[in-house]
């Protein structure tokens, strides 16, 4: 099977089976790094890093060199025409005419998707703001697979900055697809964004449990804690809430403890970094004495600051430098696959596989709603000129839209139907989005507004259901 010309923007661009195939090829690459030097000869990779990077950028560039290809790169936005107000779509078109593959890191959420939409060559997301970082997830999963021989049904703890940590978001989605139980322990005010939690529930069939007042928890330094369980047998039903005793669960041990640094560069004022540092989880020798961590892999995407003590570096459970080192064969495998220099085997993936729900109707009318996430690529001045806001309609009761660029959700207040007025201006009416009228409008005729002002500007008048929530009895 060929993966030629595909892009990797979100971890869900790869199926579980494809992830396994990337891993088999990475095994092959790491056993024979010096023999790969003609695989991508003559090919050029553009490496566009508009945020700081050490591991990701250097491992991508080293990977391309090891494959015999060459690299052109930009590491400062100030040195490109983006600083002159050029859109990233224009940049993508141009770079796509010089290079065979593009790797991009950018502070705006959804930027990699825009580049992939316009470049005409495969694009790899090396981190788009606080959204996703799928190739780090490949390194993380590969490390776990190497150490544990399986990715199925693991118990993983994600600690630290779960709000802004893009590696956390991609990893949580992938773990859910392998049927993991994921425990979250955020720094204060740094919990998993609601839209990520809801996606884990809605798309992956996760079941959320909140454990707040567990006896002895504070003392053991493991709470507050939320957990998401994924039940492979019934991926999209929220029935069968498992009968969980968190203490018994923890005693059985955690397979991996993944901690991240506070992503200071993404904090929104007025919250200061030092306030958030108070009570931020720290992984150190003392913590690892706990019996639940006896066989735990200690993981971190790096760079670390204070959340991961240097004293545990020599501990055999510490995996973070291995995670970084696996970046080379993983990225070699990925580049070779996307350039069509290698094909993936067709071996069946055995074991647990949750196929995420992706077939939501898409809302992409010109008029109407915009993404409310200020960091979304679709909300930027330079990009608004051409990006049409697009959303997946992920729920109807209430109406919830998910931005296709950044995944943030919005609950728009007003709706109308393009069919009911049959083009007659007088008949144009808008309704409250939580009135039962919503159920009567087919998604292809649905028009959604952010405000009454907008609805009126489009020539719609308030209906009798515009201001009251009328629920069907
Ligand atoms: C991470 C990133 O850039 O999101 N680093 C990396 O790619 N290994 C994590 C971080 O910066 O904290």
């Amino acid at each position: 099977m060929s993966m030629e010309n595909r892009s990797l923007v979100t971890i869900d661009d790869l199926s579980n089976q494809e992830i396994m195939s990337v891993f088999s090829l990475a095994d092959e690459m790491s056993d024979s790094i010096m023999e790969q030097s003609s695989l991508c000869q003559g090919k050029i990779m553009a490496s566009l890093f508009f945020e700081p990077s050490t591991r990701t950028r250097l491992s991508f560039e080293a990977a391309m060199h090891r494959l015999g290809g060459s690299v052109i790169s930009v590491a400062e936005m100030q040195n490109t025409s983006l600083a002159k107000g050029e859109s990233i779509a224009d940049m993508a078109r141009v770079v796509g005419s010089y290079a065979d593959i593009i790797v991009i890191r950018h502070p705006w959420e959804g930027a990699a998707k825009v580049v992939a939409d316009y470049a005409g060559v495969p694009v790899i997301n090396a981190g788009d703001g606080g959204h996703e970082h799928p190739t780090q997830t490949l390194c993380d999963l590969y490390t776990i697979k190497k150490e544990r021989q399986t990715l199925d049904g693991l118990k993983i703890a994600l600690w630290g900055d779960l709000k802004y940590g893009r590696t956390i978001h991609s990893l949580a989605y992938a773990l859910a697809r392998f049927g993991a139980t994921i425990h979250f322990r955020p720094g204060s005010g740094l919990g998993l964004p609601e839209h990520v939690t809801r996606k884990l529930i809605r798309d992956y069939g996760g079941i959320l449990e909140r454990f707040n007042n567990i006896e002895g928890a504070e003392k053991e330094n493991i709470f507050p804690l939320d957990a998401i369980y994924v039940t492979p047998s019934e991926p999209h039903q929220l029935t069968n809430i498992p009968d969980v005793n968190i203490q018994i669960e923890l005693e059985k041990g955690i397979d991996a403890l993944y901690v991240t640094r506070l992503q200071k560069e993404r904090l929104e004022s007025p919250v200061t970094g030092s306030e958030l540092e108070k009570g931020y989880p720290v992984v150190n020798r003392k913590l690892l004495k706990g019996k639940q961590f006896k066989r735990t892999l200690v993981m971190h995407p790096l760079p670390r600051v204070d959340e991961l003590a240097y004293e545990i570096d020599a501990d055999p459970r510490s995996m973070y430098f291995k995670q970084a080192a696996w970046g080379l064969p993983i990225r070699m495998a990925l580049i070779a696959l996307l350039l069509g220099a290698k094909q993936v085997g067709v071996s069946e993936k055995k074991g647990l596989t949750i196929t995420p729900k992706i077939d939501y109707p898409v809302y992409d009318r010109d008029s109407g709603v915009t993404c409310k996430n200020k960091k979304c690529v679709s909300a930027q001045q330079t990009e608004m000129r051409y990006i049409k806001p697009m959303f997946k309609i992920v729920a109807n009761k209430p109406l919830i839209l998910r931005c296709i660029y950044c995944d943030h959700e919005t609950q728009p207040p007003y709706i109308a139907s393009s069919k009911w007025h049959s083009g007659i201006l007088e008949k144009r009416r808008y309704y409250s989005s939580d009135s039962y009228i919503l159920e009567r409008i087919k998604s292809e005729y649905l028009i959604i507004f952010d405000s009454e002002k907008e609805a009126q500007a489009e020539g719609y008048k308030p209906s009798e259901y515009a201001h009251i929530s009328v629920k069907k009895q």
Side-chain angles (χ1 to χ4, degrees):
M1 191 172 52
S2 168
M3 284 173 59
E4 189 171 5
N5 279 330
R6 297 243 310 257
S7 287
L8 176 60
V9 170
T10 133
I11 192 64
D12 283 345
D13 288 333
L14 294 176
S15 67
N16 286 16
Q17 194 190 334
E18 285 166 344
I19 290 177
M20 289 307 176
S21 305
V22 173
F23 291 174
S24 313
L25 186 56
D27 287 342
E28 204 181 306
M29 295 284 175
S30 63
D31 290 343
S32 58
I33 285 200
M34 303 313 268
E35 287 148 45
Q36 308 301 332
S37 62
S38 55
L39 206 56
C40 294
Q41 217 164 21
K43 300 284 186 186
I44 297 179
M45 180 182 91
S47 154
L48 311 177
F49 278 75
F50 302 118
E51 275 192 340
S53 173
T54 305
R55 276 151 292 275
T56 309
R57 177 171 172 213
L58 293 183
S59 61
F60 263 116
E61 296 187 1
M64 190 56 171
H65 287 299
R66 293 284 189 203
L67 293 168
S70 24
V71 178
I72 51 175
S73 68
V74 169
E76 295 278 343
M77 203 156 342
Q78 290 89 312
N79 293 341
T80 72
S81 288
L82 292 180
K84 301 180 190 168
E86 182 173 53
S87 67
I88 52 176
D90 284 358
M91 177 200 67
R93 278 196 178 115
V94 172
V95 177
S97 67
Y98 304 149
D100 302 289
I101 187 164
I102 298 176
V103 178
I104 177 148
R105 171 170 288 188
H106 196 285
W108 295 338
E109 302 184 11
K113 172 167 169 50
V114 176
V115 176
D117 287 347
Y118 287 88
V121 297
V123 171
I124 302 176
N125 180 6
D128 57 339
H131 181 222
E132 282 213 41
H133 190 348
T135 65
Q136 180 63 46
T137 296
L138 293 177
C139 302
D140 302 338
L141 295 180
Y142 189 63
T143 308
I144 301 175
K145 172 89 181 4
K146 284 264 175 211
E147 300 295 322
R148 286 279 185 273
Q149 279 69 52
T150 180
L151 292 177
D152 295 341
L154 297 168
K155 208 176 304 153
I156 311 283
L158 302 182
W159 284 23
D161 186 347
L162 312 184
K163 185 172 180 184
Y164 300 109
R166 54 193 172 199
T167 67
I168 292 281
H169 307 155
S170 297
L171 181 58
Y173 299 144
L175 288 171
R177 280 167 36 193
F178 286 96
T181 294
I182 315 170
H183 295 177
F184 301 98
R185 189 189 167 214
S188 84
L190 296 165
L192 207 61
E194 277 295 311
H195 70 270
V196 177
T197 309
R198 282 198 292 263
K199 189 167 168 178
L200 286 167
I201 295 170
R202 234 195 283 285
D203 293 15
Y204 306 82
I207 295 167
L208 176 67
E209 292 272 298
R210 296 218 133 112
F211 302 101
N212 290 320
N213 300 311
I214 312 281
E215 216 181 303
E218 299 289 330
K219 208 174 88 227
E220 286 209 37
N221 194 24
I222 44 176
F223 296 100
L225 187 89
D226 287 351
I228 291 263
Y229 297 84
V230 181
T231 47
S233 52
E234 293 178 69
H236 300 304
Q237 292 173 26
L238 302 185
T239 51
N240 284 353
I241 296 205
D243 183 15
V244 179
N245 179 325
I246 191 74
Q247 251 136 4
I248 294 177
E249 285 265 298
L250 285 172
E251 274 166 28
K252 281 192 236 150
I254 299 274
D255 292 298
L257 167 58
Y258 189 101
V259 63
T260 57
R261 78 182 164 95
L262 174 62
Q263 309 281 299
K264 274 193 178 160
E265 67 276 32
R266 301 199 201 293
L267 298 181
E268 291 141 27
S269 55
V271 190
T272 65
S274 56
E275 275 171 50
L276 295 176
E277 276 159 12
K278 277 185 224 143
Y280 198 88
V282 174
V283 179
N284 54 23
R285 195 179 284 154
K286 183 163 164 258
L287 178 97
L288 293 183
K289 287 197 173 121
K291 58 177 176 298
Q292 68 271 37
F293 300 120
K294 204 163 163 221
R295 286 186 63 248
T296 302
L297 307 174
V298 179
M299 303 182 70
H300 193 302
L302 300 177
R304 68 173 141 183
V305 192
D306 294 319
E307 66 289 341
L308 185 62
Y310 281 75
E311 65 189 13
I312 59 168
D313 287 358
D315 190 305
R317 292 168 288 185
S318 296
M319 291 293 133
Y320 27 95
F321 291 111
K322 281 194 187 168
Q323 279 166 268
W326 291 131
L328 182 69
I330 283 287
R331 291 179 171 116
M332 284 173 76
L334 190 62
I335 294 168
L337 288 167
L338 302 185
L339 285 176
K342 282 274 183 186
Q343 305 235 322
V344 292
V346 280
S347 66
E348 281 283 304
K349 184 210 169 287
K350 296 184 191 75
L352 296 176
T353 284
I354 309 281
T355 308
K357 180 168 166 45
I358 48 165
D359 54 345
Y360 297 106
V362 171
Y363 183 76
D364 64 351
R365 284 179 182 269
D366 282 329
S367 63
V369 263
T370 52
C371 181
K372 304 297 170 299
N373 172 17
K374 287 195 194 83
K375 295 173 179 172
C376 177
V377 67
S378 73
Q380 309 305 317
Q381 281 299 328
T382 46
E383 317 305 310
M384 272 178 190
R385 298 181 192 121
Y386 66 96
I387 291 184
K388 186 160 143 187
M390 278 168 78
F391 300 88
K392 289 182 177 174
I393 303 174
V394 294
N396 265 331
K397 285 183 208 158
L399 176 63
I400 297 178
L401 303 183
R402 181 192 293 156
C403 174
I404 61 155
Y405 297 98
C406 71
D407 284 326
H408 278 243
E409 289 181 358
T410 165
Q411 214 174 305
Y414 300 104
I415 51 162
S417 164
S418 64
K419 200 157 180 242
W420 293 351
H421 54 71
S422 339
I424 304 165
L425 208 62
E426 261 313 288
K427 286 194 177 171
R428 289 185 172 191
R429 294 278 183 266
Y430 61 88
Y431 308 84
S432 161
S433 66
D434 61 1
S435 82
Y436 75 93
I437 298 289
L438 178 64
E439 293 165 38
R440 302 220 175 148
I441 306 176
K442 281 193 178 160
S443 58
E444 62 262 43
Y445 302 127
L446 187 63
I447 303 179
I448 305 175
F449 300 110
D450 268 341
S451 66
E452 287 193 75
K453 211 170 136 203
E454 247 173 44
Q456 288 165 10
E458 297 281 328
Y460 288 79
K461 295 201 177 74
S463 72
E464 56 183 312
Y465 299 136
H467 302 119
I468 37 166
S469 319
V470 185
K471 307 263 190 271
K472 204 173 181 179
Q473 294 305 309

